[in-house]
Amino acid sequence: MSNLGELFRQIRLSKNWSIREAARKMGISHSYLSILEKGEDPRSGKDSNPKPDTLRLISNAYDYPYEELLKAAGYLTEESFSDHKFDLTVFI
């Protein structure tokens, strides 16, 4: 089970939701959520890698920070923010 999949599972269990209930609230199938929680697609043997749009659905349903899910999925790193310079002149 991947760390991301374990995170999904732990959040769901902390809410006392069944996998079907959680999937319904997200608008995805329970079989897809099961694959995400396991971290591997049994049909292909490849890692389940949810797209950012799917992470947004999960974030909203679980009331969990979207940015944290993006980090856990590997879409964002701390370096993504450390070198970024904001142009505050746009507010002038």
Side-chain angles (χ1 to χ4, degrees):
M1 181 178 296
S2 73
N3 289 338
L4 183 60
E6 180 62 24
L7 175 62
F8 293 157
R9 185 176 174 279
Q10 290 301 319
I11 297 169
R12 178 176 60 79
L13 293 176
S14 74
K15 295 184 174 292
N16 293 318
W17 291 352
S18 70
I19 200 160
R20 289 179 185 268
E21 181 178 8
R24 183 178 42 78
K25 291 175 187 274
M26 292 172 197
I28 63 175
S29 72
H30 69 278
S31 57
Y32 181 51
L33 181 56
S34 176
I35 288 170
L36 293 178
E37 286 188 3
K38 290 176 184 168
E40 182 179 292
D41 188 334
R43 297 167 294 182
S44 66
K46 294 182 181 179
D47 288 342
S48 63
N49 189 19
K51 295 185 187 301
D53 289 345
T54 302
L55 293 174
R56 174 76 70 191
L57 295 173
I58 294 168
S59 168
N60 290 339
Y62 285 162
D63 193 28
Y64 194 84
Y66 178 60
E67 292 79 16
E68 292 301 316
L69 292 182
L70 288 172
K71 286 179 192 175
Y75 288 106
L76 292 178
T77 62
E78 292 301 323
E79 294 83 39
S80 301
F81 299 107
S82 64
D83 293 335
H84 189 75
K85 305 275 191 260
F86 293 99
D87 180 9
L88 299 177
T89 62
V90 298
F91 297 108
I92 299 175

